[in-house]
Amino acid sequence: MLVKPAPKPPVEKKIELPPPVIVTGSVVDDKGQPLIGVSVKIEGLATGAVTDIDGKFRVQVANEKAVLVFSYIGFETQKIAVGKQTSIKVILLPSANSLSTVVVIGYGTTTKKELTSAIATVKAEQFNAGVVATPADLLEGKVAGLNITNDGNPNGKASVTLRGPSSIRAGAASVPFYVIDGVPGADFNLLAPSDIASIDVLKDASAAAIYGTRATNGVIIVTTKRAKAGQLRMTYNGYGSFEKVSNQFKVASADQLRAYVKANGQSFTPANDNGGNTDWQKAVERGTGFSQNHNLSFGGGTDKTTYNGSINYLQNQGIVKSSDMKRVIGRLNITQKALNDKLKLDFSLSNSVTNANLLVNDIPLSSANGQSPGLFKSIVQYLPTRTIYNPDGTFYNDPTLKLGYNPVGLITNDSYKQKVNLLLGNIRGELILPAGLLYNFNLAYQETNTDNNTYYNSASELAPGLNGKAIRSTYEDNKKLFENYLTYAHKWGDKHDFKALFGYSIDQTTTGNGFQSTNQGFISDATGSDNLSLGTPSGNYRVDYGNVNVETLRLISFYSRLNYSYRGKYLLQASLRRDGSNAFGTNKRWGYFPAASAAWRVIDEGFMKSQSLFDDLKLRVGYGKTGNSLGFSPYTPLTLYGTTGSFYYNNAYIGAIGVTQNPNPDLKWESTATLNGGVDFSLFKGRLGGSVDIYNKKTTDMITTVPVSLINNFVNTKVENVGSMTNKGVEIALNGTPIKTKDFTWSSYGNISFNKNKITALAPNLSKIYAGDPEGPGQSGIKTSIIEAGYPLGEFYTLKYLGRTNGVSTFMGANGQPTTTPQSTDQTYAGNAQPTYTFGFGNDLTYKNFSLNFFFRGQGGNKIMNASLASFNQPTQASVHGVPALTLSEPGTDVNAYYYSTRYLESGAFIRLSNATLAYKINVAGNYVHGIRLYVTGTNLFIITKYKGVDPELNLNIDNQASGQFIGVDSNNFYPKTRSFLAGVQVDL
């Protein structure tokens, strides 16, 4: 029997795998500049790399069949097959319509392509250049519908109004709500402009309603710069600036005044003319102001840990002597990934220390010895025929204190120093959970310590005979915030994309935790306000403890948002927020704020494929409701007790305590509902793009103080919800690139917005509110504006000027007849203080390494009451106080020349060349310095206007004018705007 041999086992064939391939290279833009942080991914895998500060990358691929995907925000994504290449140079082209640009929407981000609401984004390279004391100045004229004004005060605050006023209250009630790196209500002064990457403005309620009770005036979200993995960077940016006054109030000189007084049969008293020939404006101003800014930032890290930080120093020397500001800001951020990259923790710490020398105007003192201590009033009112000093070197003062104060004395004898220490620390976490869930939390603490030191020395006209008076105060405000929210995202194929967000937050703010103390009668002025114990007051002196109270405001919120997209072209968004606040009546503490919006990406429809005109076309519509609880004391709806006089008891006067505020348990927040429609478009392969928005915004339950009967109330006023107003408008924003060649590019951008405001209702017991009291001589208590249903906020209500009768100003009486003895009943409606349109227009030109950009902005359709000119135009008083140059052409018999009337209503229209910058970039081939940029900038270069005052762009924060009841009035208190020229350098290390 034959035995078959066992079969041989099959021979295993070894498969030789090709060795991995190392690919290196660089990524540049269309101008040849390296791009930092470009994502280099291997198609189909999650692995890859990012480009370093020189735009270089190194990545390992499995074989030659691999495909690399290069992506970067704002640029077209590019795919390149590796093949036989081991070194690749990639040129990324700018995206035609930048649809991939990330937009911050509150509690998350989206792309420009997916937006359903009116949101404007301004990147760092688009910010206004110049000496910027507050980040709000970066946006002047840049966003359609956002009106920002400021004066030249280095310690001033910009007034910001979005889509017209939404409240008749002033101050914080009328400004947008700020969010910094996800921290709602963070202080804008914590930021140096060089640290900001972008600012997103949520303009309509469908976008802003996610912030509920604080979003009526819009929401401004600031995102700071962050380091990228694999990127090691250090950048220095610094400049020095010289500033001069751009315009002065035109006053009569000493010789002109003497000639006018003589020609009109008047004469000076010896006290009013001691041979002086003084220009008081020049006497209180620096010939040239100097400012400087230095910013050093750094960052780096790995795919697990990134860090970045910066330190900024700003010295802004005001053009008025004794006013200046020095600020140091330090920021540090660390981001750490853990749990196999499922957990990301972000730790941030910011500290800002501001030391300010403020003017006497900024002292919270309405009057002293019966006269306003306003510096800018004094420099016009004080006679130029007086000298600054007496022969013995002391200040020449008016012994009656009725004709103003020696302006040089005001800035020499009276000091007001303020130190503000701001600290913000926050921890943010992001945890990836199973089933498409993502958990976020944000824990933040902000503390503000404010020290005020005021000293009136022994020669001060504001504290005569007191041998020095000192006021010191210190207050702490703090904010505690905890937010957490859960998001869910899921896609069904390529058709359905669903996202949901649910969150809860608690926000507690405590203000006024501190004290004030005073003393007077100092032996020497040497210690100023530094040692109160050295004072020895006489008589029945009582320490002034101030009127600041400790107040705690709590806000508890529940919020949610749903997003749905079908095929990426039909987009829906809905949100709902429920807020509870202790600042409102016990019956009205909770409110609901819903919003919904939708968008149709028309460009993605089949019928659009055959056309070549549009690159992008999207229609949007949205509706939402927001609230306004900003600027509120939590004690507003409560019964308050305070000092109500004194009574005599047991041979002494004792302070009486009584009710000072009526309760209102039904007080609720102002609410604003907005309907917005818009279209976004891009034409001619991205050469022209923009958006158009139409909105209708209605505010109801406006809050103000109203008169009430004493029959059922403790006092005769109460804070109530009183009425409504509307804002209707159109916004147009355009951007284009008319020329684009290899070496030369010209890009242009602009915006214009139109807004019409109207009060639609007031309470039955408050049919009219008379507002705007410039307190001119002989006109104390005369109002220049009126708030009434059917008219806009800021409607002027004044006398109608007819000319002169026998050399005396004549006005139209209520009976239709001319009169030279007008009464308040003769006042009539005279025009609107609000601009009907605002605009901005800029151009960027680049040629090789040179760049030039310039930006215009302006407004029109509004009127200004030139109360400064009116108040000082007193021909019959030319021998007792200074007069404007206008008076020199007036008859000396006109006793009515200074009356507020239509004569002093002027057009507020203007066009301003806001800033222009010329820069040159030097590419450095080396291991230490990677690039140098040299630049020169001019700001406020010229203005075209018919306005006769200092400047038509009034800062509404002056005299409590912040979009409240007192707007459009130029009232003797305007810090001069300056024209500045700066030179700077940026070095990338």
Side-chain angles (χ1 to χ4, degrees):
M1 180 172 105
L2 295 175
V3 179
K4 293 182 179 180
K8 295 181 179 180
V11 179
E12 293 185 2
K13 294 182 179 180
K14 293 184 179 181
I15 301 175
E16 295 289 337
L17 295 176
V21 178
I22 302 297
V23 181
T24 61
S26 62
V27 183
V28 298
D29 62 14
D30 57 331
K31 299 181 182 64
Q33 301 300 317
L35 291 174
I36 306 169
V38 176
S39 172
V40 185
K41 295 287 187 181
I42 303 170
E43 190 174 45
L45 300 176
T47 58
V50 294
T51 57
D52 62 16
I53 196 168
D54 297 314
K56 296 179 180 179
F57 69 91
R58 184 179 186 274
V59 65
Q60 178 177 298
V61 300
N63 51 56
E64 298 175 351
K65 296 181 180 181
V67 175
L68 297 181
V69 181
F70 298 84
S71 60
Y72 194 60
I73 292 175
F75 289 79
E76 299 284 358
T77 298
Q78 190 173 152
K79 296 182 180 181
I80 296 179
V82 173
K84 300 291 185 180
Q85 304 176 89
T86 57
S87 179
I88 301 174
K89 182 176 182 180
V90 181
I91 300 175
L92 291 186
L93 300 176
S95 174
N97 47 32
S98 299
L99 296 181
S100 60
T101 299
V102 174
V103 178
V104 182
I105 57 174
Y107 306 107
T109 60
T110 187
T111 63
K112 184 178 178 181
K113 178 179 180 179
E114 298 172 323
L115 276 182
T116 60
S117 304
I119 300 178
T121 300
V122 182
K123 298 294 185 181
E125 58 270 19
Q126 300 169 314
F127 292 158
N128 288 316
V131 181
V132 177
T134 169
D137 297 335
L138 299 171
L139 298 179
E140 279 185 329
K142 297 292 185 178
V143 177
L146 186 67
N147 191 17
I148 300 174
T149 59
N150 208 346
D151 58 14
N153 193 338
N155 298 297
K157 295 180 180 179
S159 58
V160 185
T161 306
L162 180 63
R163 290 185 166 182
S166 298
S167 177
I168 59 176
R169 294 182 294 127
S174 301
V175 300
F177 184 59
Y178 295 102
V179 180
I180 300 176
D181 285 336
V183 180
D187 196 304
F188 224 4
N189 291 316
L190 281 161
L191 295 173
S194 297
D195 290 335
I196 301 175
S198 65
I199 299 178
D200 296 273
V201 182
L202 313 188
K203 298 199 290 185
D204 70 348
S206 66
I210 194 69
Y211 288 104
T213 61
R214 299 169 291 183
T216 281
N217 301 302
V219 179
I220 295 180
I221 301 178
V222 181
T223 303
T224 60
K225 295 176 180 177
R226 290 287 193 268
K228 296 182 176 65
Q231 171 189 348
L232 181 63
R233 66 175 179 83
M234 180 175 288
T235 300
Y236 166 78
N237 193 347
Y239 64 75
S241 172
F242 295 93
E243 304 172 6
K244 286 187 172 294
V245 173
S246 58
N247 191 27
Q248 298 275 27
F249 191 88
K250 296 175 176 58
V251 298
S253 67
D255 290 339
Q256 289 174 327
L257 191 58
R258 291 186 179 104
Y260 181 81
V261 166
K262 182 178 180 181
N264 285 277
Q266 303 177 35
S267 61
F268 293 101
T269 64
N272 287 343
D273 186 359
N274 65 344
N277 190 5
T278 308
D279 185 333
W280 292 105
Q281 294 184 94
K282 289 185 178 180
V284 301
E285 294 169 356
R286 297 183 175 98
T288 302
F290 176 74
S291 298
Q292 58 180 318
N293 184 81
H294 305 276
N295 194 90
L296 181 66
S297 61
F298 58 89
T302 66
D303 59 343
K304 296 292 185 182
T305 304
T306 58
Y307 65 90
N308 61 272
S310 68
I311 186 167
N312 178 265
Y313 173 73
L314 170 65
Q315 177 197 4
N316 191 353
Q317 186 183 59
I319 200 66
V320 176
K321 296 174 182 176
S322 82
S323 68
D324 63 53
M325 184 265 282
K326 297 183 179 74
R327 177 180 293 156
V328 177
I329 301 175
R331 293 175 59 83
L332 182 64
N333 170 261
I334 299 175
T335 301
Q336 177 69 49
K337 291 182 180 180
L339 302 180
N340 198 23
D341 294 347
K342 293 185 180 298
L343 175 64
K344 183 172 73 172
L345 294 175
D346 188 273
F347 304 88
S348 296
L349 184 67
S350 302
N351 190 208
S352 167
V353 180
T354 302
N355 287 281
N357 286 306
L358 296 98
L359 297 175
V360 68
N361 293 59
D362 301 311
I363 297 175
L365 177 70
S366 58
S367 63
N369 304 303
Q371 291 293 314
S372 168
L375 175 65
F376 302 112
K377 178 179 180 181
S378 294
I379 60 178
V380 178
Q381 191 174 40
Y382 217 66
L383 283 163
T385 52
R386 295 173 175 173
T387 58
I388 301 175
Y389 302 100
N390 293 309
D392 62 357
T394 60
F395 286 106
Y396 185 88
N397 294 333
D398 170 26
T400 67
L401 285 177
K402 292 182 179 180
L403 305 174
Y405 302 90
N406 185 317
V408 180
L410 286 177
I411 63 173
T412 305
N413 297 328
D414 309 299
S415 66
Y416 180 17
K417 299 180 183 296
Q418 184 179 78
K419 180 180 180 180
V420 180
N421 192 326
L422 266 168
L423 176 70
L424 173 64
N426 75 298
I427 303 173
R428 293 188 294 169
E430 183 179 280
L431 178 63
I432 300 174
L433 300 173
L437 294 173
L438 181 67
Y439 173 72
N440 285 266
F441 74 86
N442 189 4
L443 186 65
Y445 177 79
Q446 178 176 284
E447 183 175 287
T448 306
N449 289 282
T450 304
D451 296 325
N452 295 300
N453 295 311
T454 304
Y455 188 69
Y456 309 101
N457 70 18
S458 55
S460 171
E461 292 183 272
L462 300 181
L466 299 182
N467 291 321
K469 178 179 179 180
I471 307 171
R472 296 198 67 167
S473 67
T474 180
Y475 294 102
E476 176 192 296
D477 302 337
N478 65 67
K479 175 187 180 70
K480 301 172 184 176
L481 172 76
F482 173 67
E483 290 192 312
N484 67 142
Y485 54 94
L486 191 68
T487 59
Y488 171 75
H490 186 74
K491 291 184 178 182
W492 293 271
D494 60 352
K495 293 183 179 180
H496 308 280
D497 189 348
F498 177 79
K499 298 174 184 176
L501 177 147
F502 302 94
Y504 165 82
S505 69
I506 180 168
D507 191 336
Q508 177 175 297
T509 302
T510 300
T511 60
N513 186 10
F515 65 92
Q516 173 179 296
S517 187
T518 61
N519 208 349
Q520 61 190 40
F522 293 88
I523 297 174
S524 170
D525 293 321
T527 59
S529 61
D530 293 338
N531 195 335
L532 294 183
S533 65
L534 295 180
T536 54
S538 60
N540 297 320
Y541 174 75
R542 294 182 60 185
V543 175
D544 182 1
Y545 294 105
N547 57 1
V548 179
N549 305 307
V550 178
E551 297 180 350
T552 298
L553 178 66
R554 296 183 184 90
L555 181 70
I556 297 175
S557 306
F558 303 88
Y559 47 90
S560 61
R561 181 172 60 217
L562 302 176
N563 291 83
Y564 173 71
S565 170
Y566 179 72
R567 292 187 178 274
K569 58 185 177 182
Y570 306 116
L571 310 170
L572 297 173
Q573 176 176 290
S575 66
L576 177 65
R577 183 169 178 127
R578 183 175 186 252
D579 278 346
S581 171
N582 67 321
F584 296 93
T586 53
N587 301 331
K588 303 288 184 180
R589 286 187 168 173
W590 290 91
Y592 291 87
F593 302 94
S597 57
W600 175 27
R601 290 194 49 76
V602 183
I603 193 66
D604 292 334
E605 295 290 354
F607 60 81
M608 294 293 290
K609 302 301 181 183
S610 60
Q611 60 84 38
S612 58
L613 176 63
F614 287 95
D615 308 305
D616 186 39
L617 181 62
K618 180 173 65 175
L619 302 179
R620 296 178 280 105
V621 64
Y623 174 84
K625 185 179 181 182
T626 55
N628 189 351
S629 62
L630 297 177
F632 248 93
S633 164
Y635 300 156
T636 301
L638 305 178
T639 302
L640 292 186
Y641 294 85
T643 303
T644 56
S646 61
F647 63 93
Y648 189 78
Y649 176 75
N650 197 21
N651 297 322
Y653 283 97
I654 300 174
I657 302 295
V659 175
T660 58
Q661 177 177 283
N662 288 315
N664 186 354
D666 294 317
L667 183 69
K668 60 182 178 180
W669 32 58
E670 301 168 337
S671 297
T672 299
T674 303
L675 177 64
N676 190 99
V679 56
D680 302 324
F681 58 89
S682 176
L683 305 168
F684 313 123
K685 295 183 179 180
R687 286 297 182 95
L688 177 64
S691 62
V692 179
D693 281 271
I694 302 174
Y695 61 88
N696 186 347
K697 184 172 74 167
K698 183 174 183 178
T699 302
T700 55
D701 297 316
M702 294 189 304
I703 298 173
T704 193
T705 302
V706 301
V708 294
S709 170
L710 287 173
I711 297 176
N712 300 315
N713 297 279
F714 296 107
V715 294
N716 60 2
T717 61
K718 181 188 286 188
V719 179
E720 291 186 350
N721 301 101
V722 299
S724 59
M725 76 164 72
T726 61
N727 287 277
K728 299 178 181 179
V730 178
E731 298 168 349
I732 303 172
L734 297 174
N735 59 83
T737 308
I739 299 176
K740 186 176 181 64
T741 65
K742 178 183 177 182
D743 293 329
F744 178 72
T745 301
W746 169 29
S747 60
S748 186
Y749 54 93
N751 68 80
I752 186 168
S753 61
F754 303 87
N755 185 75
K756 183 178 182 180
N757 172 267
K758 185 169 70 172
I759 302 291
T760 53
L762 288 176
N765 59 337
L766 192 71
S767 60
K768 298 177 182 179
I769 300 175
Y770 296 98
D773 186 359
E775 295 184 348
Q779 299 179 89
S780 180
I782 296 296
K783 312 292 185 180
T784 59
S785 302
I786 190 170
I787 302 174
E788 184 179 0
Y791 294 91
L793 181 65
E795 175 71 16
F796 287 110
Y797 191 72
T798 190
L799 300 173
K800 184 177 181 180
Y801 180 72
L802 298 179
R804 293 190 181 91
T805 303
N806 298 323
V808 177
S809 291
T810 305
F811 309 92
M812 177 67 74
N815 59 3
Q817 300 299 315
T819 179
T820 56
T821 56
Q823 307 294 320
S824 59
T825 53
D826 297 322
Q827 291 178 283
T828 187
Y829 306 94
N832 184 13
Q834 294 186 50
T836 56
Y837 65 90
T838 59
F839 66 89
F841 173 63
N843 290 271
D844 295 331
L845 300 98
T846 60
Y847 176 72
K848 294 186 177 180
N849 288 354
F850 285 95
S851 66
L852 171 67
N853 64 71
F854 51 92
F855 185 72
F856 293 88
R857 58 186 176 84
Q859 68 181 32
N862 63 308
K863 293 185 177 181
I864 298 174
M865 172 63 77
N866 195 340
S868 302
L869 187 61
S871 298
F872 298 122
N873 185 23
Q874 299 184 63
T876 61
Q877 301 293 309
S879 62
V880 291
H881 67 68
V883 296
L886 171 70
T887 305
L888 301 175
S889 60
E890 303 275 288
T893 57
D894 194 350
V895 295
N896 294 342
Y898 61 95
Y899 282 4
Y900 302 129
S901 68
T902 55
R903 180 189 182 191
Y904 299 105
L905 279 181
E906 303 180 36
S907 170
F910 71 88
I911 300 175
R912 187 193 307 275
L913 178 52
S914 186
N915 56 76
T917 298
L918 176 64
Y920 180 74
K921 189 170 184 179
I922 304 172
N923 296 320
V924 180
N927 296 326
Y928 303 103
V929 178
H930 299 284
I932 299 175
R933 179 176 179 264
L934 306 173
Y935 60 94
V936 291
T937 296
T939 65
N940 190 25
L941 294 173
F942 69 80
I943 185 172
I944 302 173
T945 183
K946 294 182 179 179
Y947 182 59
K948 299 184 184 69
V950 175
D951 198 285
E953 197 170 15
L954 300 183
N955 182 356
L956 300 182
N957 277 318
I958 293 176
D959 287 337
N960 205 30
Q961 296 183 56
S963 292
Q965 299 177 9
F966 189 14
I967 62 176
V969 180
D970 185 349
S971 182
N972 313 326
N973 199 20
F974 194 85
Y975 196 110
K977 274 187 178 290
T978 58
R979 181 171 295 116
S980 67
F981 297 92
L982 64 84
V985 59
Q986 177 179 322
V987 182
D988 296 321
L989 303 173

